[in-house]
Amino acid sequence: MSCKVEQLEEKNMVKLVIEVSTETFETGLNKAYNKNKNKINVPGFRKGKAPRKMIEKLYGESFFFEEAANMIIPDAYAEAFEESGLDIVSQPKIDVVQLEQGKPFIFEAQVAVRPEVELGQYKGVEISKVDSEVTDADIEEELKKVQEQNSRIVTIEDRAVQDGDMTVIDFEGFIDGVAFDGGKGDNYPLTIGSHSFIDNFEEQLIGMNIGDEKEVQVTFPDNYHAENLKGKPAVFKVKINEIKEKLLPDLDDDFASDVSDFDTLDEYKEELKKTIGEKKESEAKTKKQNEAVDKAVENSKMDIPSAMIDTQVQRMVEDFSQRLQQQGLTIEQYFQYTGLTPDKIIGDMKPEAERRIKNSLVLTAVAKAENIEISDDEYEEELKKMAEAYHMEVDKIKELTGEEQAGQIKEDMKIQKAVELITNAAVEKAD
């Protein structure tokens, strides 16, 4: 096999012209023949017994060409990949150039190579100051969430509907006295004040008792999704079937002891303050890192070939598909349920794919420029963290981590060090 590299017009795109010997192509034809001979009917021969030449005479000389090419290309491309010494960052686009009996098999592979990065300013970039102080309002908001989580629902029979109640209603809508499609519901759950119904529908139910019936007048908004209802006044006949109320526990010491390991509400608040503080600090750190890296990327220059972006998008689509499968959905079902198309998904993912590529390229370049390395002790510490996260022994992690994976872990650690270097050197400016 021989490989010739040609530069393409698009920057950072090359073409590998790969020539496979006549002998290797002949071997591929024989393999294709042996794989398929039992499926081919040739008059006068039992299945699997007809000679290759006889089959080619009957069905054409090129009968096994495509199968042979498909068998040869993966190994030939892998060998050319290594031989070229290029840092290839995309899937190959394959084109067959020569596929003839008794001649070398020649094909081309168009690929993207890793772009060179011209770093701009990455130390001392300006980022927004992020406030991570925990306020009383933060604590009260968290208390309300826990209070909601520990609420209980009670059925109301001795009073009328109030704001915030959870009702069960029957309704039917009419326009000019005529019922319209989709305007009827039986035993429909509706929380008053949720604004899930149009206009002031919910407010007009306040004061009604169980069993009461009422005509509610509303007007559909001008931007309503159903064309025949836009801007139209309507009357809904409504009946109240059930009224329920959410009761919240009192915020006192008993509440604190029920929902936490603390005996008093003040102690529980102190713990919440600590927890919220850790969360806000983590969020602030992430926000600073993202902004600092974004600024470093903005200050850098690189030419990213479209094939590199397409390959990144493909990885993202595959990851998305795997996440759907974990939820029991195929990506085809997802398209059917959402009405989205593959082209729409791919188009939406492209900006994020480009952002990820730029971040990776710049951070790798910073790590190289700063001579960032990972010591044996740092690597060992990282393996310990992985062992804790996966509830495994460190020796087991080492056993499962091959040379390639170890190299990738160290590269990821270098990238993280580059992120920290850029962030620590950034200048915070108050908005």
Side-chain angles (χ1 to χ4, degrees):
M1 188 218 75
S2 65
C3 174
K4 184 171 65 173
V5 179
E6 297 178 4
Q7 296 293 328
L8 294 176
E9 208 170 298
E10 184 181 357
K11 196 159 185 182
N12 297 310
M13 287 293 294
V14 300
K15 178 168 67 179
L16 306 181
V17 182
I18 302 165
E19 182 174 317
V20 178
S21 69
T22 307
E23 293 75 22
T24 302
F25 182 47
E26 181 64 24
T27 300
L29 288 171
N30 281 327
K31 285 181 179 178
Y33 160 70
N34 287 321
K35 179 181 175 183
N36 294 283
K37 63 183 181 181
N38 291 326
K39 307 172 189 174
I40 302 168
N41 286 315
V42 176
F45 293 91
R46 284 181 294 134
K47 270 192 176 182
K49 298 300 181 181
R52 189 184 117 197
K53 294 299 180 185
M54 182 63 71
I55 295 172
E56 290 173 341
K57 185 175 181 181
L58 183 63
Y59 293 101
E61 187 182 63
S62 63
F63 186 75
F64 295 111
F65 279 11
E66 184 176 348
E67 182 89 36
N70 289 336
M71 287 180 168
I72 292 168
I73 286 172
D75 288 341
Y77 171 73
E79 189 177 339
F81 183 107
E82 292 296 326
E83 184 181 304
S84 71
L86 298 171
D87 191 355
I88 295 173
V89 290
S90 74
Q91 293 297 320
K93 180 187 174 185
I94 303 294
D95 290 307
V96 173
V97 175
Q98 180 171 282
L99 189 59
E100 297 179 38
Q101 189 81 47
K103 292 185 178 181
F105 168 43
I106 303 174
F107 67 97
E108 297 173 345
Q110 290 187 27
V111 293
V113 295
R114 184 176 298 278
E116 290 291 327
V117 177
E118 183 184 330
L119 288 173
Q121 180 190 7
Y122 59 87
K123 288 181 180 177
V125 296
E126 289 189 2
I127 61 174
S128 303
K129 187 174 179 61
V130 182
D131 184 11
S132 57
E133 182 184 353
V134 180
T135 64
D136 290 341
D138 292 328
I139 297 172
E140 291 303 317
E141 184 181 349
E142 189 62 28
L143 276 175
K144 285 180 181 178
K145 288 180 184 176
V146 180
Q147 194 181 28
E148 285 279 348
Q149 291 165 1
N150 288 273
S151 63
R152 60 191 180 92
I153 307 299
V154 295
T155 300
I156 302 298
E157 297 179 348
D158 57 353
R159 66 162 175 79
V161 173
Q162 296 178 357
D163 190 24
D165 282 347
M166 291 170 284
T167 64
V168 177
I169 64 172
D170 295 338
F171 65 87
E172 185 171 14
F174 299 84
I175 291 180
D176 296 330
V178 179
F180 56 87
D181 289 342
K184 184 176 182 179
D186 294 324
N187 289 319
Y188 186 91
L190 175 64
T191 298
I192 308 302
S194 65
H195 304 293
S196 54
F197 266 45
I198 61 167
D199 202 12
N200 60 344
F201 181 100
E202 295 165 23
E203 289 87 337
Q204 295 181 63
L205 304 188
I206 293 174
M208 294 179 68
N209 289 287
I210 294 174
D212 283 357
E213 298 183 20
K214 181 179 182 178
E215 289 190 353
V216 173
Q217 299 189 18
V218 297
T219 301
F220 282 95
D222 293 333
N223 61 348
Y224 196 67
H225 62 84
E227 193 68 35
N228 62 318
L229 301 178
K230 286 182 177 179
K232 297 282 184 70
V235 174
F236 280 87
K237 293 181 180 179
V238 183
K239 179 184 177 184
I240 302 293
N241 295 330
E242 295 179 36
I243 305 172
K244 295 180 180 180
E245 181 183 15
K246 181 188 289 184
L247 293 182
L248 300 175
D250 293 331
L251 294 176
D252 53 21
D253 291 345
D254 288 339
F255 170 79
S257 62
D258 286 341
V259 300
S260 73
D261 296 328
F262 299 96
D263 295 326
T264 68
L265 185 60
D266 287 340
E267 288 175 319
Y268 181 45
K269 283 184 176 181
E270 281 300 314
E271 177 62 20
L272 285 179
K273 183 176 182 179
K274 178 183 174 185
T275 304
I276 295 169
E278 290 171 351
K279 181 182 177 184
K280 291 187 81 169
E281 285 176 8
S282 176
E283 290 173 347
K285 180 180 177 182
T286 299
K287 186 174 181 181
K288 288 177 185 178
Q289 288 180 340
N290 289 341
E291 189 174 350
V293 171
D294 286 345
K295 289 289 177 67
V297 170
E298 285 174 18
N299 295 335
S300 302
K301 294 179 182 177
M302 68 208 88
D303 293 305
I304 302 175
S306 56
M308 189 178 185
I309 297 173
D310 292 341
T311 296
Q312 179 65 39
V313 168
Q314 187 57 43
R315 290 193 191 114
M316 291 167 64
V317 170
E318 289 169 1
D319 289 344
F320 180 62
S321 179
Q322 287 176 2
R323 290 198 299 274
L324 287 175
Q325 287 174 10
Q326 290 169 358
Q327 299 170 31
L329 278 177
T330 65
I331 196 163
E332 289 77 15
Q333 289 171 324
Y334 175 81
F335 289 142
Q336 182 181 350
Y337 296 151
T338 62
L340 295 174
T341 64
D343 286 344
K344 172 65 174 168
I345 291 285
I346 289 170
D348 289 346
M349 285 183 174
K350 275 192 174 181
E352 173 60 16
E354 186 172 358
R355 188 192 71 81
R356 291 185 188 184
I357 290 168
K358 285 182 175 180
N359 283 7
S360 176
L361 290 172
V362 168
L363 290 171
T364 300
V366 169
K368 184 178 180 181
E370 295 290 332
N371 295 314
I372 293 174
E373 296 295 338
I374 304 302
S375 69
D376 291 341
D377 289 343
E378 287 172 324
Y379 180 63
E380 286 291 327
E381 191 60 34
E382 184 66 18
L383 291 183
K384 286 178 184 176
K385 290 178 184 177
M386 291 174 62
E388 288 176 8
Y390 292 110
H391 306 290
M392 296 169 66
E393 296 295 327
V394 175
D395 288 342
K396 188 63 177 176
I397 292 287
K398 288 181 179 178
E399 181 185 326
L400 296 173
T401 305
E403 188 176 333
E404 185 177 342
Q405 289 89 341
Q408 186 58 56
I409 291 170
K410 289 179 181 178
E411 284 302 313
D412 292 343
M413 292 174 70
K414 286 182 185 180
I415 293 292
Q416 187 54 41
K417 274 193 174 186
V419 171
E420 290 166 2
L421 182 147
I422 294 169
T423 306
N424 292 339
V427 178
E428 290 187 82
K429 294 286 186 180
D431 292 335

